[in-house]
Amino acid sequence: MTTHPFIPEFAILGHPNEGKSAVVSTLTENDQVRVSPVPGETTRSSSYTVYLDNTEVIRFTDTPGFQVPQQTLAWFKAFKGNPESILDDFIQTFRHDPFYADECELFRPVAAGAGIIYVVDGSRPVRDDDLAEIEILRLTGRPRMAIINSKTSQNDYSREWKNEFSKTFNAIRRFNANLAGFSERTALLESLKAIDQEWEAVLSRVISAFRSERAQRCALTAAKIVQALKKQSAILRLRPFWKTRMPEALKQHSRRRIRPRSGRLSKRCLPI
């Protein structure tokens, strides 16, 4: 497979059971991404690369959820080193500490240069842990987008989430991972272009490749439908439906039913 010199990568971050894996599965069209209603099922970061014409075009990394954001934020605020190395220093400091195991794991792709897509459930209100996570992501200094993934339609706290996100995120989008189609996927990718100007050109090529591949899919599907209709039409032209499809017993039954009804109908129509 051909490898592009620069593959844009985005780490999907958030609290447990907010829909991170569902977002990855939808964006990559990969049903092998494990999606579970049980919080904390994802314990290791897993990368999923999208290929078009055997060429890598974009990569999304599913990560564990934040477990101890308040303690992690306290460390970030107390950090006195180079801000650009804050993630590397955190991972180095706590790499053997099980208390921070999930935080170290979810920070690794971001420390390696991935952009951030932060996923929240818009059907619940903002909590203190969420504010801690938002501040942690701001302190990373990495380009970031927030996705409001409303898991139910019963409650909607989107306005509350948007008010918080508008303070620190480069882009905000509502995105239902379970219902999103092609247009929603491409619109999300278009928004990702805004979080870092250096990625704009390569993301434009990715979106163009997606649209081209989509057009090819539609043309192929239409051709197969036309071919199937032509084949069916040719079969029907060979013999009438009455002679080829209807079982003999049903034909005889229908004839017996039709004749008496015709006779009774003609009697009713006699002039008085």
Side-chain angles (χ1 to χ4, degrees):
M1 293 183 179
T2 305
T3 302
H4 195 278
F6 171 69
I7 306 298
E9 179 177 354
F10 296 92
I12 314 300
L13 308 182
H15 206 68
N17 204 30
E18 298 288 272
K20 299 187 300 298
S21 296
V23 169
V24 174
S25 178
T26 300
L27 290 176
T28 60
E29 292 188 325
N30 189 338
D31 294 333
Q32 295 181 350
V33 180
R34 185 173 182 180
V35 180
S36 172
V38 180
E41 280 291 290
T42 303
T43 58
R44 303 288 296 180
S45 295
S46 300
S47 293
Y48 300 88
T49 303
V50 179
Y51 293 89
L52 293 177
D53 295 330
N54 293 326
T55 302
E56 293 178 316
V57 293
I58 195 167
R59 186 179 300 119
F60 297 96
T61 300
D62 193 15
T63 66
F66 281 97
Q67 297 294 333
V68 286
Q70 300 288 353
Q71 294 88 336
T72 301
L73 178 59
W75 185 92
F76 268 62
K77 286 183 174 180
F79 180 70
K80 301 300 183 183
N82 182 356
E84 294 183 359
S85 67
I86 190 169
L87 291 173
D88 290 322
D89 285 0
F90 180 92
I91 295 169
Q92 182 67 19
T93 301
F94 298 109
R95 66 189 185 281
H96 299 308
D97 188 340
F99 187 76
Y100 291 101
D102 288 329
E103 269 68 13
C104 287
E105 185 67 19
L106 68 89
F107 285 148
R108 283 192 177 94
V110 182
I116 294 170
I117 297 179
Y118 181 62
V119 180
V120 301
D121 179 7
S123 64
R124 66 167 181 81
V126 180
R127 302 174 300 207
D128 288 341
D129 278 355
D130 303 313
L131 297 176
E133 293 168 10
I134 291 170
E135 180 62 10
I136 289 169
L137 298 182
R138 184 188 72 81
L139 292 172
T140 67
R142 296 298 299 155
R144 55 201 173 274
M145 167 192 280
I147 286 181
I148 303 173
N149 176 42
S150 295
K151 298 174 68 176
T152 70
S153 58
Q154 296 177 350
N155 301 302
D156 185 7
Y157 293 91
S158 298
R159 185 179 297 276
E160 183 180 344
W161 283 107
K162 285 182 178 179
N163 288 339
E164 294 298 333
F165 289 149
S166 63
K167 303 171 187 176
T168 58
F169 279 80
N170 308 94
I172 307 166
R173 284 202 69 85
R174 296 192 65 168
F175 185 80
N176 189 320
N178 296 320
L179 300 177
F182 178 79
S183 59
E184 289 81 8
R185 289 173 61 216
T186 51
L188 190 149
L189 293 173
E190 287 281 2
S191 296
L192 282 175
K193 291 162 55 177
I195 71 173
D196 192 325
Q197 189 174 0
E198 293 183 0
W199 294 349
E200 187 173 343
V202 67
L203 285 172
S204 293
R205 290 195 295 271
V206 170
I207 294 167
S208 177
F210 274 155
R211 287 175 174 155
S212 176
E213 196 260 352
R214 170 75 170 184
Q216 292 176 10
R217 282 192 200 178
C218 291
L220 181 60
T221 301
K224 288 186 175 181
I225 292 173
V226 170
Q227 185 180 17
L229 290 174
K230 286 182 177 179
K231 184 177 180 180
Q232 185 67 18
S233 177
I235 292 173
L236 292 177
R237 281 199 302 269
L238 292 177
R239 296 189 68 188
F241 174 79
W242 175 270
K243 296 181 180 179
T244 58
R245 297 299 178 89
M246 186 176 289
E248 188 61 31
L250 183 58
K251 294 179 190 176
Q252 306 232 355
H253 177 72
S254 298
R255 293 191 188 102
R256 286 196 299 269
R257 297 276 297 174
I258 292 170
R259 289 187 187 115
R261 286 181 181 276
S262 300
R264 286 198 297 272
L265 180 62
S266 60
K267 289 178 182 179
R268 290 197 201 102
C269 295
L270 292 174
I272 298 175

